[in-house]
Amino acid sequence: MSDTTITRARLVTAVSALVLVAGGVGFGLAKLGTSSAADQTASPAPQKKILYWYDPMIPGERHDGPGLSSMGMKLIPRYADEGAGGSAAPGVAIDPASLQRLGARVVTVERGSLSNSASATGSIEFNDRNVAVVQARSGGFVQRVYARAPGDVVPAGAPLADILVPEWAGAQAEYLAVRRTGDAGLTRAARERLLLLGMPAGSIASAEWRGRPQGVTTISTPVGGVIKTLGVRQGMTVAQGQTLAEVNGLATVWLNAAVPEALAGNLRIGTPVIATLAAFPGESFRGRIAAILPQAEAASRTLTIRVELPNRAGRLRPGMFASVALDQGSRDALLVPSEAVIRTGRRTLVMLAGPGGRFRPAEVRTGAEGGGKTEIVAGLTEGEKVVASGQFLIDSEASLAGLDARPIGVEASPATKPAVKPTASIYETVGSIEAIDRSSVTLSHQPVPAIGWPAMTMTFRVADPALVRGYRKGERVRFGFDQPADGPTLRRMTREAGR
């Protein structure tokens, strides 16, 4: 074979190899492209159907596409699977990012102590039960008046006026004449006549001591206090029974306070009251409700309570303004923050927070309020979660989704019911007290087969100091304990019978 033939054969072989390699690469690229396209076709990205675009701040506005609302806020889409029918659990779904933008805060419905304290405002007034009316017991003439005027504060027995009573002068002269005869019967009868004429016993005694008639009598105040009215002037003529003055005592005063009629059901006679006055900063005055006036004030929708306060040294003056705190104790109640309650005027709602970021309104019946908490009488169970802030916007979302509120009386779903904690086992045995104080007790006790304990001496924590009050070292007792994480803890203890 010639060299030319050999060279030609080698060229043909090389070209064939190149063709085969190029074909394989092309086939591989085509296969790879086909496989990628097939994979993309096999797993398309899920697309949610958008019903419309809206602004959560204006839930009534609906738009066909993205953009800005009438308030200039960016629109967000409403998807078809959002709302009451998009999940087995009823409620509107809101993602965590949206909740954060809304400022929503979720709290747990808990039982707690609800204070029945309330506050009110009032003013100090005269005690109208402590009013003395000074009248003329017989007709006469005013000979002298003392320097008195309405508004003056006078002590008991302070003189107001001297009155000449001519009728008394003649009767006294007859009485003294009869008295000098020594006839006890006639003397007694003449003295009775003086009393019937209205002469005070003091004036009769003065005439007896002086031995001559005394027709001038001094009118004085029977009680100490402030002169409210004074109707006697020098030289005037007074008739029998005429009112000369009115004196209001100041030993006690009334504090009349206006209380909202919503608290009327909690008001009780005898409820302790603490009053503070701007005139005496840092000082409080204690009293009790003496009366609840029967008529409400129509304009302010308030009731008036009357508190009787002692007025030492006359410091409390009628007309002073006072702040009143009513303390009616506390009671256990199911509570939510007051800000979590939505009052529509027709019903009262809270926004329930369910699992999976779903929310649903629930109708509730509320009770008393105090300390920023509202009592839930019906509609919620302990352990459920409610929205305490941002609930109005979530309620708008629920309204747009056509979600009905959970009615009162419907039990909470298992997902929202609180988990029931297993009750700790209580183990009982008998032992003798070796050492005891408020926080621990050391006992030499018999075996406890339930947990494999032999007879031994050990120290138990005391859950409540009242459990060991009155017990002494050496006493034989029957006791029960459990084993929390803090160690064996005494839960009950009684003296062993017959010991």
Side-chain angles (χ1 to χ4, degrees):
M1 182 178 296
S2 64
D3 293 338
T4 303
T5 304
I6 294 173
T7 300
R8 186 180 292 116
R10 289 176 177 173
L11 289 172
V12 171
T13 302
V15 170
S16 301
L18 288 173
V19 171
L20 290 174
V21 171
V25 172
F27 177 78
L29 292 173
K31 184 67 175 177
L32 180 60
T34 304
S35 176
S36 299
D39 291 343
Q40 293 177 0
T41 305
S43 56
Q47 297 293 329
K48 294 183 178 180
K49 181 181 178 181
I50 297 177
L51 298 178
Y52 54 86
W53 297 74
Y54 73 105
D55 179 0
M57 299 294 292
I58 317 174
E61 282 191 14
R62 299 187 181 186
H63 302 266
D64 296 331
L68 300 178
S69 69
S70 60
M71 293 182 62
M73 302 295 290
K74 185 178 179 181
L75 300 176
I76 63 173
R78 162 71 68 183
Y79 295 103
D81 60 349
E82 293 181 355
S87 173
V92 58
I94 300 178
D95 61 279
S98 298
L99 285 178
Q100 187 174 7
R101 288 196 300 270
L102 293 174
R105 180 168 57 91
V106 177
V107 298
T108 303
V109 181
E110 298 177 334
R111 299 199 72 85
S113 178
L114 178 65
S115 174
N116 287 338
S117 61
S119 59
T121 57
S123 60
I124 303 296
E125 298 183 13
F126 287 108
N127 185 347
D128 289 340
R129 294 194 181 97
N130 193 15
V131 176
V133 178
V134 182
Q135 292 182 326
R137 295 193 175 189
S138 184
F141 309 97
V142 179
Q143 282 193 338
R144 177 188 176 187
V145 293
Y146 295 81
R148 309 296 184 195
D152 287 352
V153 177
V154 295
L160 296 176
D162 291 341
I163 299 179
L164 173 62
V165 185
E167 187 179 5
W168 286 5
Q172 284 182 6
E174 292 179 6
Y175 168 67
L176 293 175
V178 172
R179 188 168 181 266
R180 283 193 292 267
T181 64
D183 191 327
L186 291 177
T187 301
R188 186 167 50 253
R191 194 175 193 279
E192 288 293 332
R193 179 170 177 266
L194 295 179
L195 292 174
L196 291 175
L197 289 174
M199 187 178 299
S203 297
I204 299 174
S206 178
E208 291 174 348
W209 179 75
R210 293 175 181 271
R212 63 177 183 271
Q214 186 176 354
V216 177
T217 183
T218 300
I219 304 297
S220 58
T221 60
V223 297
V226 60
I227 299 176
K228 297 187 70 175
T229 63
L230 183 63
V232 58
R233 293 293 182 265
Q234 188 168 350
M236 67 180 292
T237 302
V238 296
Q240 184 179 8
Q242 180 177 339
T243 298
L244 305 180
E246 288 185 9
V247 181
N248 209 137
L250 294 175
T252 60
V253 292
W254 283 344
L255 170 56
N256 289 339
V259 178
E261 66 176 353
L263 302 177
N266 298 327
L267 296 177
R268 298 290 185 273
I269 302 295
T271 299
V273 170
I274 300 177
T276 55
L277 287 82
F280 309 106
E283 189 174 355
S284 60
F285 300 85
R286 297 179 179 272
R288 293 181 179 274
I289 296 179
I292 303 171
L293 302 193
Q295 185 172 355
E297 185 65 35
S300 59
R301 309 311 309 164
T302 57
L303 292 176
T304 300
I305 61 171
R306 178 172 291 164
V307 181
E308 191 168 309
L309 296 175
N311 187 21
R312 299 179 182 88
R315 301 172 66 205
L316 301 179
R317 300 176 183 274
M320 283 184 170
F321 178 83
S323 297
V324 181
L326 304 171
D327 185 9
Q328 303 185 67
S330 59
R331 55 187 174 86
D332 184 68
L334 191 65
L335 303 175
V336 299
S338 296
E339 59 182 335
V341 180
I342 305 173
R343 291 181 171 87
T344 65
R346 186 172 58 90
R347 57 182 180 174
T348 304
L349 303 172
V350 295
M351 188 58 60
L352 286 175
R358 304 191 72 83
F359 299 87
R360 180 188 183 186
E363 187 174 355
V364 296
R365 187 179 302 118
T366 59
E369 296 185 30
K373 299 285 188 178
T374 296
E375 178 187 11
I376 300 298
V377 178
L380 290 177
T381 58
E382 184 179 0
E384 290 188 285
K385 296 183 180 298
V386 298
V387 182
S389 61
Q391 68 272 30
F392 291 98
L393 294 177
I394 300 176
D395 183 50
S396 298
E397 292 284 329
S399 299
L400 286 172
L403 190 65
D404 292 331
R406 188 181 76 181
I408 294 176
V410 176
E411 289 290 330
S413 63
T416 58
K417 279 189 176 180
V420 179
K421 295 182 179 179
T423 304
S425 298
I426 302 294
Y427 309 101
E428 282 199 0
T429 186
V430 177
S432 297
I433 299 175
E434 301 295 337
I436 187 169
D437 57 35
R438 289 174 53 86
S439 59
S440 64
V441 59
T442 302
L443 295 161
S444 295
H445 62 81
Q446 296 179 1
V448 187
I451 52 178
W453 282 11
M456 58 181 174
T457 300
M458 71 175 302
T459 300
F460 296 84
R461 293 175 60 253
V462 176
D464 184 356
L467 292 174
V468 297
R469 189 176 299 133
Y471 288 89
R472 300 187 303 275
K473 180 180 177 180
E475 287 187 300
R476 189 168 179 81
V477 295
R478 175 173 293 277
F479 65 96
F481 67 95
D482 60 2
Q483 299 190 80
D486 297 335
T489 302
L490 186 74
R491 298 298 179 184
R492 54 177 176 259
M493 185 165 67
T494 58
R495 290 179 175 84
E496 181 69 353
R499 300 279 176 165

